[in-house]
Amino acid sequence: MLYSLIHKVSVLAIKLFFNQISIQNKQIVPASGPIIFVANHPNFFMDPLIIGSYCPRVLYFFAKSTLFNSPLKKRILTRLNLVPVYRKIDDKQNMGKNLDSFNRGYEILENNGSFLIFPEGVSIGKRILEKIKTGAARIGLEAELKNNFDLNIVIIPIGLSYSDQVRFRSNIMIRFGDPIELSKFEKEYKKNKIDTVKKVTSIIESSLNKLTNYIQTDELEDIVQGLELIYKMELMTELGMEIDNKNDDFITTKILTNAVQWYKDNEPSLVIQFRKKLNNYINLLKKLDIRDEFLDPVRQEKRKWAKTKTIIFLILGSPLFVWGIITNYLPYMLPRLLIKITKKDQSEEASWKLVYGFIFFIFYYTIEIIFIWQITQNPVIIILFSLSLILSGNFALYYSKNIKKYKQHVKFLSIFYKKRTIMFEIIQRRIELLQFIEDSKNRYLKIIK
């Protein structure tokens, strides 16, 4: 009952929080039979909420034991299908209690159930896969052994990729990977348990890396971000991909990260050269507080009619924007203020925004609806007013983004005419950077063919 209620609320909250949710390969999940789902973990309790909401199976969740730190929490979390896992970093003395957790995992699988585990064991909020723990492989293989390998357990990896990990109305991609059938490891496991567990864990790690837009080391994060900023759209166009297609966007990022990793492993000197050129260019952009897209002639050519449409949109949409601000601004800003005051970790920001926002919006909307009812006593007006709240809020957010873009464009034009020498220097740096990328790309393609 409680699980079903939270599931419905979570789906609603996630749909309101994210702008676009893309799900791939969900159809490969079996409708029945024991499954262990494993996923990367960049975003605290947002990750289990998302997977629990969009996974076609009822799930149990393996979660860190520190969440169960009071009798009341333990009771509630148990009813929500959470199973405690005891980690060394939390409490070494209670590691022995993991035997109970493992037994609970065996029981779930033996009853054709499914559970989710985050094999990284931590959530750090970076685009890097942490060292994968062996828990998922150990529970699955041992459950098979206890049942003579007749359970047909599969491990299904899930990749979560956020367009922006903390921003409201950002996008997320959920990718289900190919099932790992544990029955295929029967002979190996009976012969050598430790090596087989390591082998399956390695397969899980490889699968998660393929399903996410992760990089292998944070040393390269600035390089990948720079390429996404400057070159990603150009590469997508060159490859004949659709700019607004989230799968094409994911594939392009994966191409870029693979190429950067190859250069890091094979020609690190070129990575150093590129970083130097990139930093010089980024510093010049920051100095003038302008965006790269305004220096891209291709994007500016495409935006000519868009600029006219933006002006028309800003004029005609201003009344609805004002209405959206009046009815939504306070509950929109309060969660951000609370997060700033409490100094939440990056991996927790989006999760707390969702929780605080859901509470504040419901409370604020309720007060507004009661207030309008007291004034009008008209059911039709109340219905129309209620329907306008979320719609006007989303419109106000979209409108404010267009205002910001237009202001940046006006600012760019002003800087371009006032500080032409610096602008020409930035443009020259950008041309040199793109030429360096193009030469590196051609070199890379020749070698890997």
Side-chain angles (χ1 to χ4, degrees):
M1 178 68 178
L2 184 59
Y3 179 95
S4 178
L5 175 63
I6 295 297
H7 181 273
K8 289 181 174 64
V9 172
S10 297
V11 171
L12 174 61
I14 289 167
K15 284 183 177 179
L16 292 174
F17 188 89
F18 289 100
N19 178 53
Q20 185 173 349
I21 302 167
S22 304
I23 306 173
Q24 292 187 349
N25 302 324
K26 184 177 176 180
Q27 71 282 356
I28 70 171
V29 178
S32 60
I35 304 175
I36 300 173
F37 291 95
V38 292
N40 59 308
H41 196 19
N43 215 334
F44 193 39
F45 59 72
M46 182 73 85
D47 299 333
L49 277 181
I50 290 168
I51 295 174
S53 299
Y54 290 96
C55 182
R57 297 286 297 270
V58 174
L59 293 175
Y60 288 83
F61 304 86
F62 277 64
K64 60 182 181 180
S65 61
T66 51
L67 296 174
F68 300 75
N69 57 6
S70 73
L72 179 60
K73 283 185 180 180
K74 185 175 181 180
R75 185 176 179 182
I76 293 173
L77 295 177
T78 301
R79 291 184 65 187
L80 289 173
N81 291 356
L82 268 69
V83 179
V85 175
Y86 300 85
R87 308 179 303 175
K88 285 184 181 180
I89 59 174
D90 298 325
D91 187 358
K92 290 183 179 180
Q93 295 180 347
N94 284 320
M95 288 291 292
K97 292 183 179 180
N98 276 331
L99 180 60
D100 294 333
S101 302
F102 276 45
N103 285 331
R104 182 67 179 123
Y106 304 149
E107 182 183 329
I108 293 168
L109 296 171
E110 287 167 353
N111 287 299
N112 289 318
S114 55
F115 63 79
L116 169 66
I117 190 168
F118 296 103
E120 291 172 279
V122 292
S123 177
I124 61 170
K126 292 184 178 181
R127 286 174 58 178
I128 303 165
L129 195 67
E130 291 294 297
K131 182 176 174 59
I132 298 296
K133 310 297 188 295
T134 59
R138 288 168 60 196
I139 294 174
L141 288 166
E142 195 60 26
E144 283 285 17
L145 184 65
K146 286 165 60 71
N147 293 272
N148 300 313
F149 275 83
D150 290 331
L151 293 180
N152 295 316
I153 299 169
V154 294
I155 296 177
I156 296 183
I158 302 174
L160 299 174
S161 299
Y162 296 84
S163 64
D164 189 311
Q165 193 170 298
V166 300
R167 185 169 57 87
F168 178 62
R169 302 303 291 171
S170 56
N171 303 319
I172 182 171
M173 177 174 283
I174 309 164
R175 306 183 87 215
F176 290 84
D178 294 330
I180 303 167
E181 300 174 21
L182 296 186
S183 59
K184 293 181 178 179
F185 300 91
E186 179 178 358
K187 291 182 180 178
E188 294 178 64
Y189 190 64
K190 288 179 177 178
K191 184 178 179 181
N192 191 320
K193 290 186 178 182
I194 294 176
D195 286 350
T196 308
V197 166
K198 288 181 179 178
K199 182 177 181 179
V200 173
T201 301
S202 178
I203 294 171
I204 291 171
E205 182 174 0
S206 177
S207 298
L208 290 177
N209 270 313
K210 290 177 182 176
L211 292 168
T212 59
N213 55 13
Y214 277 6
I215 53 180
Q216 292 185 25
T217 170
D218 55 4
E219 294 176 29
L220 301 178
E221 189 166 6
D222 63 324
I223 302 291
V224 175
Q225 289 176 345
L227 287 169
E228 288 178 322
L229 172 71
I230 299 165
Y231 189 64
K232 186 175 183 177
M233 190 173 291
E234 185 172 323
L235 181 59
M236 290 183 74
T237 303
E238 183 181 326
L239 295 174
M241 294 183 170
E242 297 180 19
I243 303 298
D244 296 326
N245 185 297
K246 299 307 173 187
N247 186 52
D248 286 353
D249 183 89
F250 177 88
I251 291 171
T252 307
T253 296
K254 208 65 183 171
I255 291 171
L256 292 174
T257 55
N258 289 342
V260 171
Q261 187 62 50
W262 184 90
Y263 270 104
K264 168 69 168 55
D265 295 337
N266 296 276
E267 297 193 38
S269 61
L270 287 179
V271 175
I272 294 171
Q273 288 182 46
F274 179 74
R275 178 177 280 116
K276 184 177 180 181
K277 291 178 180 292
L278 175 66
N279 288 338
N280 288 336
Y281 175 66
I282 296 295
N283 288 335
L284 282 172
L285 290 180
K286 288 180 178 178
K287 185 177 180 180
L288 295 179
D289 191 25
I290 59 175
R291 293 167 52 163
D292 171 78
E293 67 180 78
F294 294 121
L295 300 172
D296 185 348
V298 176
R299 277 187 277 186
Q300 290 308 303
E301 184 65 30
K302 290 180 179 179
R303 282 177 57 86
K304 280 185 177 179
W305 169 234
K307 292 168 191 171
T308 304
K309 288 195 294 184
T310 298
I311 295 172
I312 297 172
F313 168 77
L314 292 178
I315 294 171
L316 297 180
S318 56
L320 186 55
F321 168 69
V322 173
W323 179 250
I325 290 294
I326 294 171
T327 54
N328 290 270
Y329 184 75
L330 189 60
Y332 176 80
M333 290 305 300
L334 281 176
R336 284 147 185 78
L337 181 61
L338 269 177
I339 288 169
K340 187 176 181 180
I341 293 172
T342 54
K343 297 179 180 179
K344 297 294 183 184
D345 187 81
Q346 184 182 0
S347 65
E348 300 181 14
E349 275 192 38
S351 303
W352 286 112
K353 275 185 184 178
L354 178 67
V355 173
Y356 293 150
F358 199 75
I359 294 170
F360 284 129
F361 271 105
I362 289 178
F363 180 73
Y364 194 74
Y365 282 174
T366 301
I367 291 176
E368 288 181 309
I369 291 169
I370 292 173
F371 177 73
I372 297 299
W373 173 255
Q374 293 294 327
I375 294 175
T376 66
Q377 298 286 314
N378 188 319
V380 176
I381 292 177
I382 289 297
I383 292 172
L384 292 174
F385 174 76
S386 300
L387 291 174
S388 77
L389 292 175
I390 295 177
L391 293 174
S392 64
N394 285 336
F395 179 84
L397 189 62
Y398 178 71
Y399 187 96
S400 64
K401 289 177 182 176
N402 277 274
I403 290 178
K404 187 176 180 181
K405 285 182 180 179
Y406 186 72
K407 286 172 65 178
Q408 288 170 337
H409 176 69
V410 173
K411 182 179 180 180
F412 169 77
L413 291 178
S414 174
I415 293 172
F416 185 85
Y417 288 110
K418 290 180 180 179
K419 300 182 180 181
R420 290 196 176 192
T421 302
I422 298 178
M423 287 303 304
F424 286 136
E425 182 184 352
I426 295 177
I427 293 170
Q428 184 60 39
R429 291 281 178 90
R430 189 178 195 278
I431 292 171
E432 291 174 2
L433 199 55
L434 285 171
Q435 188 60 54
F436 187 93
I437 294 170
E438 192 67 24
D439 292 342
S440 300
K441 182 196 74 175
N442 294 333
R443 181 186 178 90
Y444 172 70
L445 291 176
K446 284 181 182 178
I447 293 171
I448 66 169
K449 281 183 179 179

